[in-house]
Amino acid sequence: MSSRSASKDATPDLAESYAAVMGRVGAAAERSGRRAEDVLVVAVSKYAELDQLRTLVDLGHVDFGENQVQQLAQRAPQLSEYLARHRAMRGASSSGSIAPERIRWHMVGHLQRNKVKQCVPHVQLIHSVDSLRLAEELHNHGAKHDADTDVLLQVNVSGEGTKNGVAPAAVVHLLEQIDTMMHLRCRGLMTMAPHHENPEDCRAVFARTRELFEDCRGSRYAGDRFNILSMGMSNDFEVAIEEGANLVRVGSALFGTADAGG
Ligand SMILES: *Cc1c(COP(=O)(O)O)cnc(C)c1O
């Protein structure tokens, strides 16, 4: 049953890896005293084929993420078109389908200010706000279109690996500034741990981010809806959940990597 043939049909493998990831997320949630459904899994599809995304939609998956605006702006309409067709076909006998009502897109990668206009119409949540200037650009775009945008502040806790992200000491101040922007809703924090072979080595970064998250919640600048802690990727999502993540961003554990052999 689990034989890995050279078959072109990737569907059975994706269904298996999806079930495996969801199972591991659920187990980690339970270890931290929560339920599986308390942790949102964003399928990061940068290495995936469109067909694989359709397969996940067929399996009932709702949340997808990209790290580049161009690919996101291309795929969001493709996938909603697929979903619309799928639902129309099932229409009469809707009981058989577990396809979601709608798909939610997440921008998880670095966002340049000149891409805001292209990005915002497609996304539910932008994970990567890391400067006042980007926040202002998003707010101005929202003011112009009378629309609000949900964002996370990306925090650079480790100081290594990536240049992106706000320094921990600057987080509450940026939150205070965003609090004055009516068209921006700060929903929480995001972090990326540096890559380690052993995910245990990421635990301190996740624990520190959780502390910052609680500091923000204790400040007067985080509203009721400041409740998302986005941390953990394929290599380290279980440790992140144990440290309090309620959103994980998983790519290669679902889809494989671009250069992975069979
Ligand atoms: C690619 C990416 C992920 C997923 O990475 P995997 O290790 O493939 O799970 C998560 N977050 C961001 C910001 C990414 O760019």
Side-chain angles (χ1 to χ4, degrees):
M1 247 181 101
S2 60
S3 80
R4 286 180 170 252
S5 68
S7 156
K8 261 309 274 163
D9 182 9
T11 303
D13 274 344
L14 179 54
E16 271 173 38
S17 54
Y18 183 63
V21 165
M22 298 311 272
R24 287 167 59 195
V25 165
E30 276 166 30
R31 283 198 297 283
S32 68
R34 290 174 292 161
R35 297 163 306 169
E37 58 267 35
D38 295 332
V39 180
L40 189 71
V41 175
V42 171
V44 179
S45 50
K46 64 188 177 205
Y47 302 131
E49 304 290 335
L50 188 61
D51 263 353
Q52 294 180 295
L53 307 198
R54 293 182 179 131
T55 300
L56 280 197
V57 169
D58 290 343
L59 291 168
H61 195 72
V62 176
D63 290 276
F64 292 88
E66 286 286 345
N67 70 338
Q68 288 191 349
V69 172
Q70 197 179 339
Q71 182 147 306
L72 197 158
Q74 197 173 11
R75 285 181 158 181
Q78 287 173 325
L79 215 53
S80 51
E81 199 177 292
Y82 173 73
L83 186 60
R85 244 185 298 133
H86 181 109
R87 295 185 68 81
M89 268 167 51
R90 299 283 181 133
S93 60
S94 58
S95 59
S97 175
I98 56 167
E101 292 284 326
R102 56 174 300 207
I103 288 157
R104 294 188 294 235
W105 282 95
H106 299 250
M107 175 58 188
V108 300
H110 181 65
L111 179 59
Q112 290 169 290
R113 282 181 296 144
N114 62 4
K115 299 274 176 65
V116 161
K117 201 163 57 169
Q118 197 188 355
C119 178
V120 166
H122 300 292
V123 293
Q124 194 80 20
L125 183 65
I126 294 171
H127 291 227
S128 47
V129 170
D130 65 351
S131 72
L132 179 59
R133 292 170 75 199
L134 175 57
E136 284 171 342
E137 187 77 29
L138 286 161
H139 169 70
N140 292 340
H141 182 272
K144 205 151 88 185
H145 296 84
D146 195 25
D148 300 345
T149 305
D150 280 14
V151 302
L152 305 179
L153 300 186
Q154 181 174 353
V155 192
N156 186 350
V157 165
S158 66
E160 47 173 297
T162 167
K163 309 182 296 297
N164 302 328
V166 192
V171 167
V172 174
H173 184 56
L174 183 54
L175 185 63
E176 177 183 355
Q177 289 169 309
I178 288 178
D179 189 45
T180 66
M181 302 180 192
M182 282 169 49
H183 291 284
L184 222 51
R185 257 190 314 261
C186 188
R187 299 293 313 276
L189 301 183
M190 181 272 237
T191 202
M192 284 178 82
H195 182 81
H196 291 293
E197 283 308 312
N198 182 354
E200 280 301 324
D201 295 340
C202 303
R203 192 176 288 278
V205 164
F206 294 142
R208 178 73 186 107
T209 308
R210 166 68 182 273
E211 271 175 31
L212 273 171
F213 180 69
E214 298 300 343
D215 289 349
C216 289
R217 287 217 281 197
S219 81
R220 69 168 101 145
Y221 310 113
D224 293 346
R225 300 189 63 206
F226 188 97
N227 57 10
I228 300 175
L229 184 53
S230 167
M231 55 186 196
M233 315 194 338
S234 290
N235 192 49
D236 53 25
F237 66 83
E238 285 153 307
V239 172
I241 292 168
E242 287 165 11
E243 294 301 327
N246 57 14
L247 186 159
V248 294
R249 310 176 309 270
V250 181
S252 47
L254 292 169
F255 303 114
T257 50
D259 56 354

